[in-house]
Amino acid sequence: MKSGTFKGGVHPWDGKELSKDAPVRVLEPGAELVYPMSQHIGAPAVPCVKKGDRVLKGQRVGEASGFMSANIHASVSGKVKAVEERLTAGGTKVMSVVVTNDGEYEEALPLETSETGEKEKIRDLIRQAGVVGMGGATFPVHVKLSPKSDDAIEYVILNGAECEPYLTSDYRRMLDDAEKIVRGLEIILALFGKAKGIIAIEDNKPDCVKRMTDAANGHDRITVVPVKTKYPQGGERTLIFATTGRKINSDMLPSDVGCIVNNVNTAYEVYRAVDERRPLTERLFTVTGDAAATPGNFLVPLGMSHKEVAEQAGGFNCEPEKLISGGPMMGVAMYTLDTPVARGTGSILAYKEDPVKLAEQQKTNCINCGRCVQVCPGRVIPSRLADFALQKNRAMFEKYYGMECCECGCCSFICPAKRDLTQSIKNYRREILALRKAERAKK
Protein backbone atom coordinates (compact mmCIF):
# COMPACT_ATOMS: atom_id res chain seq x y z
CA MET A 1 0.00 0.00 0.00
CA LYS A 2 1.31 3.44 -0.94
CA SER A 3 2.12 5.57 2.10
CA GLY A 4 0.18 8.82 2.46
CA THR A 5 2.08 12.09 2.51
CA PHE A 6 1.99 15.82 1.68
CA LYS A 7 3.80 18.27 -0.59
CA GLY A 8 7.12 19.61 0.63
CA GLY A 9 9.01 18.55 3.73
CA VAL A 10 12.57 17.36 4.31
CA HIS A 11 14.28 14.18 5.44
CA PRO A 12 17.13 14.98 7.82
CA TRP A 13 19.23 12.24 9.38
CA ASP A 14 16.89 10.97 12.06
CA GLY A 15 19.40 9.78 14.67
CA LYS A 16 16.83 7.38 16.10
CA GLU A 17 19.16 4.39 16.14
CA LEU A 18 20.94 5.99 19.11
CA SER A 19 18.03 5.28 21.47
CA LYS A 20 15.19 3.41 19.76
CA ASP A 21 16.25 -0.06 20.88
CA ALA A 22 16.87 0.94 24.50
CA PRO A 23 14.12 -0.52 26.77
CA VAL A 24 12.33 1.99 28.98
CA ARG A 25 13.92 2.49 32.39
CA VAL A 26 12.01 3.90 35.35
CA LEU A 27 13.79 6.84 37.01
CA GLU A 28 13.55 7.65 40.71
CA PRO A 29 12.70 11.24 41.60
CA GLY A 30 15.06 13.21 43.81
CA ALA A 31 14.45 15.20 46.98
CA GLU A 32 12.58 18.09 45.36
CA LEU A 33 9.87 18.15 42.68
CA VAL A 34 8.68 21.34 40.94
CA TYR A 35 5.24 21.59 39.34
CA PRO A 36 4.78 24.67 37.11
CA MET A 37 1.16 25.83 36.92
CA SER A 38 1.45 26.50 33.19
CA GLN A 39 2.10 23.16 31.48
CA HIS A 40 -0.62 23.49 28.86
CA ILE A 41 -2.14 25.80 26.28
CA GLY A 42 -4.65 28.11 27.96
CA ALA A 43 -4.98 29.76 31.34
CA PRO A 44 -2.47 28.64 33.99
CA ALA A 45 -3.73 26.43 36.80
CA VAL A 46 -4.15 28.00 40.23
CA PRO A 47 -2.20 26.47 43.16
CA CYS A 48 -4.66 24.71 45.49
CA VAL A 49 -2.15 23.82 48.22
CA LYS A 50 -0.02 26.03 50.46
CA LYS A 51 3.39 25.89 52.09
CA GLY A 52 3.50 23.23 54.80
CA ASP A 53 0.70 21.07 53.39
CA ARG A 54 1.33 17.35 52.95
CA VAL A 55 0.35 16.03 49.54
CA LEU A 56 -0.09 12.52 48.18
CA LYS A 57 1.05 11.08 44.87
CA GLY A 58 -1.70 11.83 42.36
CA GLN A 59 -3.18 14.63 44.47
CA ARG A 60 -4.20 17.80 42.69
CA VAL A 61 -1.81 20.67 43.45
CA GLY A 62 -3.00 23.00 40.69
CA GLU A 63 -6.66 23.67 39.86
CA ALA A 64 -7.71 24.40 36.27
CA SER A 65 -8.74 28.06 36.15
CA GLY A 66 -11.25 27.70 33.33
CA PHE A 67 -12.45 25.47 30.53
CA MET A 68 -9.25 26.07 28.54
CA SER A 69 -6.95 25.02 31.36
CA ALA A 70 -5.78 21.81 33.01
CA ASN A 71 -5.30 20.36 36.49
CA ILE A 72 -1.79 19.64 37.80
CA HIS A 73 -1.04 16.66 40.07
CA ALA A 74 1.85 15.67 42.33
CA SER A 75 4.02 12.74 41.22
CA VAL A 76 5.26 12.01 44.75
CA SER A 77 4.01 12.31 48.30
CA GLY A 78 5.62 14.88 50.58
CA LYS A 79 5.41 18.37 52.03
CA VAL A 80 4.86 21.59 50.09
CA LYS A 81 8.12 23.50 50.44
CA ALA A 82 7.04 26.63 48.57
CA VAL A 83 4.58 28.16 46.14
CA GLU A 84 6.71 30.50 44.07
CA GLU A 85 7.99 31.31 40.60
CA ARG A 86 10.49 28.83 39.16
CA LEU A 87 12.39 28.65 35.88
CA THR A 88 11.09 26.32 33.14
CA ALA A 89 12.84 24.63 30.22
CA GLY A 90 11.48 27.34 27.92
CA GLY A 91 13.42 29.99 29.80
CA THR A 92 10.48 31.70 31.52
CA LYS A 93 9.56 31.85 35.18
CA VAL A 94 6.20 30.31 36.09
CA MET A 95 4.28 30.11 39.37
CA SER A 96 5.03 26.62 40.69
CA VAL A 97 4.32 24.29 43.58
CA VAL A 98 7.53 22.89 45.08
CA VAL A 99 7.22 19.57 46.96
CA THR A 100 9.83 17.86 49.13
CA ASN A 101 9.72 14.13 48.40
CA ASP A 102 9.18 12.04 51.56
CA GLY A 103 10.06 8.80 49.75
CA GLU A 104 6.81 7.08 50.79
CA TYR A 105 4.89 7.54 47.51
CA GLU A 106 1.57 7.30 49.34
CA GLU A 107 -1.15 7.58 46.71
CA ALA A 108 -4.31 9.64 46.66
CA LEU A 109 -7.64 7.95 46.05
CA PRO A 110 -8.45 7.07 42.42
CA LEU A 111 -10.32 9.62 40.35
CA GLU A 112 -14.09 9.64 40.72
CA THR A 113 -16.87 11.26 38.75
CA SER A 114 -20.47 12.07 39.55
CA GLU A 115 -21.45 12.16 35.88
CA THR A 116 -23.98 9.51 34.81
CA GLY A 117 -23.85 9.44 30.99
CA GLU A 118 -21.02 7.52 29.28
CA LYS A 119 -19.75 10.49 27.29
CA GLU A 120 -19.96 12.82 30.27
CA LYS A 121 -18.00 10.36 32.42
CA ILE A 122 -15.24 10.02 29.83
CA ARG A 123 -14.79 13.77 29.36
CA ASP A 124 -14.98 14.46 33.09
CA LEU A 125 -12.34 11.86 33.99
CA ILE A 126 -10.01 13.16 31.27
CA ARG A 127 -10.54 16.70 32.58
CA GLN A 128 -9.93 15.68 36.18
CA ALA A 129 -6.78 13.76 35.22
CA GLY A 130 -5.27 16.83 33.58
CA VAL A 131 -4.60 15.02 30.31
CA VAL A 132 -3.06 17.27 27.66
CA GLY A 133 -1.55 16.64 24.25
CA MET A 134 1.62 14.64 24.90
CA GLY A 135 3.20 15.32 21.52
CA GLY A 136 4.40 18.72 22.74
CA ALA A 137 1.45 21.01 22.00
CA THR A 138 -0.14 20.37 25.47
CA PHE A 139 -3.66 21.28 24.33
CA PRO A 140 -6.14 20.25 27.09
CA VAL A 141 -7.65 17.02 25.78
CA HIS A 142 -11.09 17.43 27.37
CA VAL A 143 -11.40 20.63 25.29
CA LYS A 144 -10.25 18.94 22.10
CA LEU A 145 -12.78 16.15 22.68
CA SER A 146 -15.65 18.62 23.10
CA PRO A 147 -16.37 19.91 19.58
CA LYS A 148 -19.53 21.78 18.65
CA SER A 149 -21.08 18.58 17.30
CA ASP A 150 -20.01 15.02 18.13
CA ASP A 151 -21.67 13.77 14.95
CA ALA A 152 -19.54 16.11 12.81
CA ILE A 153 -16.37 14.18 13.70
CA GLU A 154 -15.58 11.58 11.03
CA TYR A 155 -11.96 10.73 11.87
CA VAL A 156 -10.00 10.40 15.09
CA ILE A 157 -6.34 10.27 14.06
CA LEU A 158 -3.58 9.07 16.38
CA ASN A 159 -0.18 10.50 15.55
CA GLY A 160 2.45 7.77 15.73
CA ALA A 161 4.66 9.34 13.06
CA GLU A 162 7.25 10.75 15.50
CA CYS A 163 8.83 12.59 12.59
CA GLU A 164 11.10 14.82 14.71
CA PRO A 165 14.67 13.45 14.47
CA TYR A 166 16.28 11.67 17.45
CA LEU A 167 13.11 11.27 19.55
CA THR A 168 11.97 7.69 20.24
CA SER A 169 9.53 7.80 23.19
CA ASP A 170 6.48 7.36 20.93
CA TYR A 171 8.26 4.46 19.24
CA ARG A 172 8.79 2.71 22.58
CA ARG A 173 5.24 3.41 23.68
CA MET A 174 3.82 1.77 20.56
CA LEU A 175 6.00 -1.32 20.96
CA ASP A 176 5.44 -1.68 24.70
CA ASP A 177 1.82 -0.56 25.18
CA ALA A 178 0.04 -1.09 21.87
CA GLU A 179 -3.11 -2.59 23.43
CA LYS A 180 -3.45 0.32 25.86
CA ILE A 181 -3.08 2.84 23.03
CA VAL A 182 -5.82 1.05 21.09
CA ARG A 183 -7.97 1.01 24.21
CA GLY A 184 -7.45 4.76 24.59
CA LEU A 185 -8.53 5.28 20.99
CA GLU A 186 -11.54 3.05 21.60
CA ILE A 187 -12.54 5.27 24.54
CA ILE A 188 -12.24 8.39 22.38
CA LEU A 189 -14.28 6.79 19.59
CA ALA A 190 -17.06 6.14 22.13
CA LEU A 191 -17.59 9.92 22.11
CA PHE A 192 -18.04 10.08 18.34
CA GLY A 193 -20.41 7.42 17.04
CA LYS A 194 -19.82 8.22 13.36
CA ALA A 195 -16.02 8.44 13.50
CA LYS A 196 -13.36 6.03 12.30
CA GLY A 197 -10.04 5.67 14.09
CA ILE A 198 -6.75 6.01 12.20
CA ILE A 199 -3.35 5.23 13.72
CA ALA A 200 -0.77 6.90 11.47
CA ILE A 201 2.81 5.61 11.66
CA GLU A 202 5.77 6.52 9.47
CA ASP A 203 6.83 3.66 7.20
CA ASN A 204 10.35 3.58 8.66
CA LYS A 205 8.82 1.88 11.73
CA PRO A 206 7.54 -1.43 10.28
CA ASP A 207 7.78 -3.10 13.70
CA CYS A 208 5.41 -0.48 15.14
CA VAL A 209 3.06 -0.83 12.16
CA LYS A 210 2.86 -4.59 12.76
CA ARG A 211 2.57 -4.25 16.54
CA MET A 212 -0.24 -1.70 16.34
CA THR A 213 -1.99 -3.61 13.54
CA ASP A 214 -2.02 -6.76 15.67
CA ALA A 215 -3.35 -4.80 18.66
CA ALA A 216 -6.10 -3.22 16.54
CA ASN A 217 -7.14 -6.58 15.04
CA GLY A 218 -10.86 -7.10 15.59
CA HIS A 219 -11.61 -3.39 16.06
CA ASP A 220 -13.77 -2.63 13.03
CA ARG A 221 -13.54 1.14 13.44
CA ILE A 222 -9.73 1.30 13.78
CA THR A 223 -7.19 1.16 10.96
CA VAL A 224 -3.39 1.46 11.02
CA VAL A 225 -2.18 3.66 8.15
CA PRO A 226 1.51 3.89 7.16
CA VAL A 227 2.59 7.39 6.13
CA LYS A 228 5.74 8.40 4.29
CA THR A 229 8.86 9.00 6.35
CA LYS A 230 9.33 12.72 5.98
CA TYR A 231 9.46 15.71 8.30
CA PRO A 232 7.02 17.27 9.37
CA GLN A 233 4.74 14.30 8.64
CA GLY A 234 3.47 14.37 12.23
CA GLY A 235 2.27 17.97 12.06
CA GLU A 236 -1.47 18.29 12.54
CA ARG A 237 -2.19 19.80 9.12
CA THR A 238 0.16 17.49 7.24
CA LEU A 239 -1.09 14.36 9.02
CA ILE A 240 -4.72 15.19 8.31
CA PHE A 241 -3.92 15.68 4.63
CA ALA A 242 -1.78 12.53 4.41
CA THR A 243 -4.48 10.31 5.95
CA THR A 244 -7.75 11.90 4.75
CA GLY A 245 -6.86 14.32 1.93
CA ARG A 246 -8.55 17.16 3.84
CA LYS A 247 -6.97 20.60 4.22
CA ILE A 248 -7.00 23.13 7.07
CA ASN A 249 -5.39 26.55 7.50
CA SER A 250 -4.40 28.74 10.44
CA ASP A 251 -7.96 30.03 10.88
CA MET A 252 -9.41 26.53 11.19
CA LEU A 253 -9.47 23.73 13.72
CA PRO A 254 -9.18 20.06 12.70
CA SER A 255 -12.79 19.62 13.83
CA ASP A 256 -13.80 22.05 11.06
CA VAL A 257 -12.97 19.27 8.57
CA GLY A 258 -14.36 16.48 10.74
CA CYS A 259 -11.05 15.42 12.32
CA ILE A 260 -9.50 15.18 15.76
CA VAL A 261 -5.77 14.48 16.12
CA ASN A 262 -4.05 13.13 19.24
CA ASN A 263 -0.61 11.71 19.93
CA VAL A 264 -0.29 7.98 20.70
CA ASN A 265 0.97 8.86 24.17
CA THR A 266 -2.12 11.02 24.66
CA ALA A 267 -4.35 8.03 23.86
CA TYR A 268 -2.38 6.04 26.43
CA GLU A 269 -3.06 8.72 29.05
CA VAL A 270 -6.76 8.69 28.13
CA TYR A 271 -6.78 4.97 28.86
CA ARG A 272 -5.05 5.60 32.21
CA ALA A 273 -7.52 8.32 33.18
CA VAL A 274 -10.72 6.46 32.26
CA ASP A 275 -9.91 2.79 32.92
CA GLU A 276 -7.33 3.11 35.71
CA ARG A 277 -8.66 6.40 37.16
CA ARG A 278 -5.12 7.78 37.38
CA PRO A 279 -4.11 11.40 36.74
CA LEU A 280 -1.19 12.45 34.55
CA THR A 281 1.92 12.32 36.77
CA GLU A 282 4.68 10.92 34.52
CA ARG A 283 5.82 10.79 30.92
CA LEU A 284 8.12 8.86 28.61
CA PHE A 285 11.34 10.78 28.00
CA THR A 286 14.27 10.40 25.59
CA VAL A 287 17.87 11.34 26.43
CA THR A 288 19.96 11.24 23.27
CA GLY A 289 22.47 12.93 21.01
CA ASP A 290 26.17 12.37 20.31
CA ALA A 291 27.09 13.84 23.72
CA ALA A 292 24.81 11.46 25.66
CA ALA A 293 26.84 8.66 27.26
CA THR A 294 24.02 6.10 27.11
CA PRO A 295 21.12 7.32 24.94
CA GLY A 296 17.82 5.78 25.95
CA ASN A 297 14.18 6.09 26.95
CA PHE A 298 12.97 6.66 30.48
CA LEU A 299 9.76 6.87 32.48
CA VAL A 300 10.14 10.17 34.34
CA PRO A 301 7.96 11.56 37.16
CA LEU A 302 6.72 15.04 36.25
CA GLY A 303 8.45 17.71 38.29
CA MET A 304 11.82 15.90 38.37
CA SER A 305 14.71 18.13 37.29
CA HIS A 306 16.32 17.69 33.89
CA LYS A 307 19.68 17.58 35.66
CA GLU A 308 18.64 14.54 37.71
CA VAL A 309 17.23 12.87 34.59
CA ALA A 310 20.50 13.37 32.73
CA GLU A 311 22.53 12.02 35.66
CA GLN A 312 20.39 8.91 36.12
CA ALA A 313 20.40 8.36 32.36
CA GLY A 314 24.19 8.03 32.42
CA GLY A 315 25.33 11.61 31.98
CA PHE A 316 27.37 12.97 29.07
CA ASN A 317 30.55 11.73 27.43
CA CYS A 318 31.81 15.32 27.18
CA GLU A 319 30.63 18.82 28.02
CA PRO A 320 27.74 19.36 25.54
CA GLU A 321 28.07 22.52 23.49
CA LYS A 322 24.30 22.51 22.85
CA LEU A 323 21.36 21.19 24.87
CA ILE A 324 17.85 21.11 23.43
CA SER A 325 14.53 20.38 25.08
CA GLY A 326 12.68 18.55 22.30
CA GLY A 327 13.94 17.68 18.85
CA PRO A 328 16.41 19.56 16.64
CA MET A 329 13.75 20.99 14.33
CA MET A 330 11.25 22.53 16.76
CA GLY A 331 12.90 22.12 20.16
CA VAL A 332 14.03 24.89 22.51
CA ALA A 333 17.69 25.48 23.42
CA MET A 334 18.42 25.08 27.14
CA TYR A 335 21.04 27.10 29.01
CA THR A 336 20.54 25.12 32.23
CA LEU A 337 19.28 21.67 33.23
CA ASP A 338 18.04 23.01 36.57
CA THR A 339 14.44 23.07 35.35
CA PRO A 340 11.59 20.59 35.89
CA VAL A 341 10.30 18.01 33.45
CA ALA A 342 6.81 19.15 32.47
CA ARG A 343 4.08 17.58 30.38
CA GLY A 344 5.34 19.18 27.17
CA THR A 345 9.05 18.41 27.70
CA GLY A 346 9.85 14.96 26.34
CA SER A 347 13.59 14.86 25.77
CA ILE A 348 17.10 16.15 26.29
CA LEU A 349 19.11 16.31 23.07
CA ALA A 350 22.82 16.83 23.76
CA TYR A 351 25.24 17.85 20.98
CA LYS A 352 29.04 17.83 21.17
CA GLU A 353 29.06 20.78 18.77
CA ASP A 354 26.42 23.46 18.38
CA PRO A 355 24.96 23.09 14.85
CA VAL A 356 23.45 26.58 15.04
CA LYS A 357 26.84 28.15 15.78
CA LEU A 358 28.32 26.30 12.81
CA ALA A 359 25.48 27.56 10.59
CA GLU A 360 26.04 31.16 11.79
CA GLN A 361 29.66 30.95 10.70
CA GLN A 362 28.56 29.93 7.19
CA LYS A 363 25.72 32.47 6.78
CA THR A 364 25.52 34.41 3.49
CA ASN A 365 22.92 36.45 1.63
CA CYS A 366 19.92 34.80 -0.02
CA ILE A 367 20.79 33.41 -3.45
CA ASN A 368 17.12 33.08 -4.54
CA CYS A 369 17.46 29.34 -5.12
CA GLY A 370 13.84 28.61 -4.15
CA ARG A 371 14.66 25.55 -2.03
CA CYS A 372 12.74 26.95 0.94
CA VAL A 373 9.63 27.22 -1.24
CA GLN A 374 10.01 23.63 -2.46
CA VAL A 375 10.13 22.14 1.05
CA CYS A 376 7.56 24.38 2.77
CA PRO A 377 4.48 22.28 3.74
CA GLY A 378 2.47 25.50 4.13
CA ARG A 379 3.17 26.40 0.47
CA VAL A 380 4.36 29.93 1.28
CA ILE A 381 7.58 31.77 0.35
CA PRO A 382 9.77 31.70 3.49
CA SER A 383 12.64 33.79 2.09
CA ARG A 384 10.26 36.64 1.25
CA LEU A 385 8.35 36.34 4.53
CA ALA A 386 11.60 36.50 6.51
CA ASP A 387 12.47 39.76 4.75
CA PHE A 388 9.04 41.21 5.54
CA ALA A 389 9.42 40.10 9.15
CA LEU A 390 12.80 41.81 9.52
CA GLN A 391 11.33 44.96 7.94
CA LYS A 392 8.29 44.80 10.29
CA ASN A 393 6.14 45.05 7.16
CA ARG A 394 2.91 43.63 8.54
CA ALA A 395 0.79 44.39 5.45
CA MET A 396 3.06 42.43 3.11
CA PHE A 397 3.70 39.69 5.67
CA GLU A 398 -0.04 39.03 5.98
CA LYS A 399 -0.65 39.49 2.24
CA TYR A 400 1.84 36.70 1.49
CA TYR A 401 0.22 34.37 4.05
CA GLY A 402 2.85 34.66 6.76
CA MET A 403 0.34 33.51 9.37
CA GLU A 404 0.09 30.15 7.56
CA CYS A 405 3.65 29.23 8.57
CA CYS A 406 3.59 26.17 10.86
CA GLU A 407 7.10 26.97 12.18
CA CYS A 408 8.39 23.50 11.30
CA GLY A 409 11.93 24.64 10.44
CA CYS A 410 12.17 22.99 7.01
CA CYS A 411 13.16 26.26 5.33
CA SER A 412 16.02 26.97 7.75
CA PHE A 413 17.19 23.36 7.46
CA ILE A 414 17.38 23.42 3.66
CA CYS A 415 18.66 27.00 3.17
CA PRO A 416 22.18 26.95 1.61
CA ALA A 417 22.69 30.53 2.85
CA LYS A 418 22.01 29.38 6.44
CA ARG A 419 19.51 32.21 7.02
CA ASP A 420 17.37 32.29 10.19
CA LEU A 421 14.16 31.99 8.19
CA THR A 422 11.99 30.12 10.68
CA GLN A 423 13.13 32.20 13.65
CA SER A 424 12.41 35.50 11.87
CA ILE A 425 8.97 34.38 10.71
CA LYS A 426 8.08 32.79 14.05
CA ASN A 427 9.02 35.90 16.05
CA TYR A 428 7.01 38.20 13.78
CA ARG A 429 3.99 35.90 13.85
CA ARG A 430 4.03 36.16 17.65
CA GLU A 431 4.23 39.94 17.39
CA ILE A 432 1.28 40.11 14.99
CA LEU A 433 -0.82 37.83 17.18
CA ALA A 434 -0.12 40.14 20.14
CA LEU A 435 -1.06 43.17 18.03
CA ARG A 436 -4.30 41.52 16.93
CA LYS A 437 -5.17 40.78 20.54
CA ALA A 438 -4.55 44.42 21.52
CA GLU A 439 -6.64 45.62 18.58
CA ARG A 440 -9.56 43.40 19.58
CA ALA A 441 -9.35 44.68 23.16
CA LYS A 442 -9.73 48.27 21.95
CA LYS A 443 -12.94 47.55 20.04
Side-chain angles (χ1 to χ4, degrees):
M1 183 173 66
K2 186 177 180 181
S3 299
T5 191
F6 60 97
K7 291 182 179 179
V10 294
H11 194 181
W13 181 67
D14 62 21
K16 293 182 186 288
E17 59 263 37
L18 294 175
S19 60
K20 74 181 186 70
D21 295 323
V24 174
R25 282 175 44 205
V26 179
L27 300 190
E28 296 296 327
E32 182 179 282
L33 287 295
V34 179
Y35 306 104
M37 294 293 101
S38 185
Q39 299 187 41
H40 49 266
I41 290 175
V46 177
C48 55
V49 292
K50 61 184 185 301
K51 182 178 179 179
D53 287 351
R54 184 168 187 267
V55 299
L56 305 178
K57 180 180 178 181
Q59 181 179 328
R60 190 180 305 166
V61 296
E63 185 86 32
S65 59
F67 183 61
M68 183 63 81
S69 187
N71 294 325
I72 310 288
H73 300 81
S75 56
V76 298
S77 60
K79 184 175 288 188
V80 177
K81 177 182 177 181
V83 179
E84 62 187 19
E85 287 192 337
R86 287 292 185 97
L87 188 68
T88 66
T92 59
K93 285 192 172 182
V94 173
M95 186 58 66
S96 306
V97 173
V98 184
V99 174
T100 301
N101 181 9
D102 63 13
E104 296 181 14
Y105 304 104
E106 184 180 351
E107 295 198 27
L109 294 173
L111 299 173
E112 292 184 0
T113 178
S114 59
E115 299 290 347
T116 55
E118 182 187 13
K119 292 184 178 183
E120 290 75 16
K121 281 183 179 180
I122 291 172
R123 289 187 172 111
D124 188 49
L125 287 168
I126 292 170
R127 179 192 62 79
Q128 286 191 59
V131 181
V132 300
M134 300 300 287
T138 66
F139 197 96
V141 172
H142 70 277
V143 179
K144 184 177 283 191
L145 300 183
S146 302
K148 294 177 182 177
S149 170
D150 291 349
D151 288 340
I153 303 303
E154 299 176 69
Y155 295 100
V156 176
I157 304 166
L158 290 193
N159 178 10
E162 199 167 39
C163 62
E164 182 83 56
Y166 288 94
L167 309 188
T168 55
S169 58
D170 290 356
Y171 174 85
R172 294 309 317 178
R173 179 68 80 194
M174 287 186 283
L175 288 184
D176 297 343
D177 296 299
E179 288 78 14
K180 294 175 181 177
I181 293 171
V182 170
R183 174 57 186 152
L185 178 53
E186 191 178 47
I187 291 169
I188 296 171
L189 288 172
L191 300 172
F192 310 109
K194 297 182 179 180
K196 297 178 180 178
I198 295 175
I199 303 173
I201 305 171
E202 280 192 332
D203 54 16
N204 67 340
K205 305 176 183 67
D207 45 355
C208 285
V209 172
K210 183 180 186 308
R211 181 79 175 87
M212 294 304 303
T213 299
D214 291 344
N217 187 34
H219 295 267
D220 295 339
R221 295 172 64 193
I222 299 176
T223 306
V224 176
V225 176
V227 291
K228 188 173 180 179
T229 302
K230 182 170 61 170
Y231 177 86
Q233 187 68 263
E236 202 166 54
R237 297 187 209 175
T238 50
L239 199 63
I240 288 172
F241 182 78
T243 54
T244 71
R246 301 181 181 189
K247 298 179 182 180
I248 61 171
N249 59 39
S250 62
D251 295 323
M252 300 170 67
L253 294 172
S255 58
D256 293 331
V257 292
C259 298
I260 286 177
V261 181
N262 281 305
N263 181 265
V264 288
N265 267 299
T266 308
Y268 173 83
E269 292 299 337
V270 167
Y271 151 78
R272 293 249 300 171
V274 177
D275 281 5
E276 296 188 351
R277 304 296 176 98
R278 291 180 178 274
L280 176 53
T281 60
E282 60 192 21
R283 69 158 299 135
L284 281 187
F285 196 95
T286 303
V287 179
T288 188
D290 58 6
T294 53
N297 301 285
F298 307 90
L299 187 63
V300 178
L302 296 177
M304 185 175 178
S305 81
H306 285 90
K307 184 177 181 179
E308 290 173 338
V309 171
E311 289 172 350
Q312 289 193 39
F316 305 117
N317 54 36
C318 66
E319 184 66 28
E321 195 169 73
K322 183 82 166 201
L323 292 169
I324 296 176
S325 174
M329 301 299 285
M330 295 187 74
V332 178
M334 305 174 74
Y335 65 88
T336 177
L337 290 176
D338 290 320
T339 57
V341 173
R343 295 182 294 200
T345 54
S347 72
I348 296 172
L349 174 55
Y351 281 116
K352 291 181 179 179
E353 291 186 290
D354 183 354
V356 174
K357 184 186 74 173
L358 295 175
E360 285 292 321
Q361 295 169 353
Q362 302 167 19
K363 187 181 293 185
T364 62
N365 292 328
C366 176
I367 61 173
N368 295 311
C369 65
R371 294 182 191 177
C372 61
V373 180
Q374 293 174 345
V375 301
C376 177
R379 318 313 296 157
V380 296
I381 308 174
S383 56
R384 185 172 293 176
L385 290 175
D387 288 339
F388 295 146
L390 293 173
Q391 297 162 8
K392 302 293 185 183
N393 190 336
R394 178 178 173 182
M396 294 300 286
F397 187 87
E398 293 182 326
K399 178 180 177 180
Y400 281 87
Y401 305 103
M403 302 310 286
E404 294 305 313
C405 171
C406 64
E407 303 174 7
C408 65
C410 287
C411 54
S412 293
F413 173 80
I414 205 70
C415 178
K418 307 299 181 184
R419 297 180 68 205
D420 302 324
L421 300 174
T422 304
Q423 182 179 355
S424 299
I425 297 168
K426 177 180 180 178
N427 290 343
Y428 198 46
R429 286 184 76 246
R430 297 287 188 276
E431 190 174 325
I432 290 176
L433 289 172
L435 290 170
R436 287 180 178 179
K437 185 176 180 180
E439 289 164 359
R440 287 194 299 269
K442 290 179 180 179
K443 292 182 180 178

